[in-house]
Structures are given as structure tokens and as C-alpha cells.
Amino acid sequence: MNAPLPGRTPVPIPSRTSYVLEHLTHAILSGALAPGSPLVETELAAGFGVSKTPVREALKTLAGRGLVEMNEYKGAAVRTVDAGMARSVYDIRQLLEPEALRRTVAAGHDLGPARTALEQALSAEDAAARAEANRDFHRALYAPCGNPLLVKTLDDLRDQAALVSSVAWQITPSWDGEADEHRAILARAEEGDADGAARLLYAHIAGFVSRAFPKEGTS
């Protein structure tokens, strides 16, 4: 496998791990590196113009974020996405994220960052940028909820949810409908309707996974 960005000019040593991490993340979430793609340290190091150390550290970070699977015998690979994995991630989001949003709205927190993220998602030039803006939109809704542990739990799912979205959008481009749902959620939240916004978010999360990964016999 060739590195996603061959021929890049090497960057200063302190920045090399973050440099590799940033570009591998983009390659994974844009689909340039498809689920299951092997990630060979020597090949990536050569492509990025760095030693294997920053590549290894970046892969460890990506594994911790749920985007890469590491196997002692097979090496590293982009995490595969199947219905079971998608439903597990979205099940937790469905249980927790609407309640976090309800608390954010009930407390009267500023939703300006959510509107900014929504606008960025609408103008995104590729799937990776859209996935990033989509993550930022959802985080802006739950981050001010007032419970740091709840925020951390949802933060830990952000990259995996973005990977699921990226894969699903390649199969079924459903972004336009989801963007409409985002607008409706934000509008209800800006009106101060905490319960209504939470219900719309619950339906949004449930609807996405049921469309993208329908249970057998329900497609």
C-alpha cells in the first residue's frame, strides 16, 4: 500500500507525529484509506518522509480513537465498519447524546458554535471535512451539558462515529437529509425547547443507523 501523501516535505521533528496523525486521519475519514486497508509502518514512513517512530505513535493514537485496528501478527489496518460496530456506537450515542443536549438547552448555553459547525458542514469540500464539521456540530450541542464524564464518554465515540458516517455516505449519500435534520434540531434548541430538541436528536441518530445499517429483514 502506498502512503496517502507521498513525497511530502519532511516537517520538524517535534511535529512529525501530529503531522502523520492529521493526514492519516483525513485519509481514513475521506475514504482514501478504505476500511481494512493495511497500514505498513515502513511504507508510511517512506511516503511521509519520516522515521517509523512518528508513524508508530500516530497509529497507536488512531487505535486508541477507534480508527485503526492493531494485531500482533497482522500489523495495523484501518478499522472495518460493519452493522454490529455501527449499531454499538450509535446505540450509546442514542442513549446519551439527546440527554446531554436537553441539559445544554435547559441551561441556556450559547449555541453559536453549533451554527458555525453546521455552516461549515454545508460548505465542506469532501467527506473528511464534512465528517469533521459534523462531529463539531454534535459536540457543540452536548459539550456544555455540565457533566464532564458524559462529555468524555461522547468524545471517545466521536472518531468512530465519523468513520461510520464516512463509510455510510459512500454507500448511501444521505447528507442532504441529515443536514435538514440538523437544522431542525438546532432551530428547536435555539427556541429553548429542550425536550423537543432532544426528541429530534434521538430520532436523527436512530434514523441514520437504521437507514445505513438496517437489521436483517427490515431493509
Side-chain angles (χ1 to χ4, degrees):
M1 182 200 77
N2 293 325
L5 297 168
R8 287 276 182 172
T9 302
V11 293
I13 290 175
S15 305
R16 288 180 183 175
T17 297
S18 57
Y19 171 81
V20 174
L21 178 61
E22 175 187 352
H23 288 288
L24 282 179
T25 300
H26 185 278
I28 291 169
L29 295 182
S30 67
L33 284 170
S37 297
L39 300 168
V40 182
E41 289 182 11
T42 53
E43 294 181 2
L44 290 170
F48 284 115
V50 299
S51 70
K52 291 195 298 183
T53 298
V55 171
R56 185 177 302 117
E57 293 304 312
L59 291 177
K60 288 180 181 178
T61 298
L62 290 169
R65 286 163 50 182
L67 294 181
V68 165
E69 297 172 319
M70 301 186 77
N71 183 288
E72 181 180 357
Y73 303 104
K74 297 181 180 179
V78 178
R79 184 174 184 178
T80 56
V81 174
D82 58 24
M85 177 269 198
R87 292 192 197 112
S88 294
V89 170
Y90 274 72
D91 184 46
I92 298 175
R93 290 187 64 197
Q94 192 172 332
L95 290 169
L96 300 181
E97 201 168 319
E99 173 59 20
L101 171 59
R102 190 191 68 75
R103 296 184 183 193
T104 293
V105 176
H109 288 293
D110 176 30
L111 295 169
R115 179 157 295 282
T116 297
L118 177 57
E119 293 169 355
Q120 291 173 339
L122 295 172
S123 61
E125 296 182 354
D126 59 33
R130 184 177 297 124
E132 180 68 25
N134 183 58
R135 290 191 305 171
D136 290 344
F137 172 79
H138 281 272
R139 191 177 196 280
L141 297 179
Y142 70 70
C145 72
N147 185 323
L149 183 57
L150 178 55
V151 173
K152 183 181 185 305
T153 300
L154 289 168
D155 276 350
D156 289 344
L157 292 174
R158 292 177 74 207
D159 288 306
Q160 295 177 64
L163 178 60
V164 171
S165 298
S166 177
V167 171
W169 289 336
Q170 293 176 51
I171 299 170
T172 305
S174 58
W175 168 250
D176 289 340
E178 291 163 36
D180 289 339
E181 293 171 3
H182 283 177
R183 292 189 190 93
I185 292 165
L186 182 57
R188 192 66 61 87
E190 289 177 331
E191 292 168 1
D193 184 354
D195 291 335
R199 284 194 297 270
L200 288 179
L201 180 57
Y202 183 96
H204 168 69
I205 295 170
F208 172 82
V209 76
S210 65
R211 289 192 304 270
F213 300 93
K215 292 183 179 179
E216 187 175 352
T218 62
S219 57

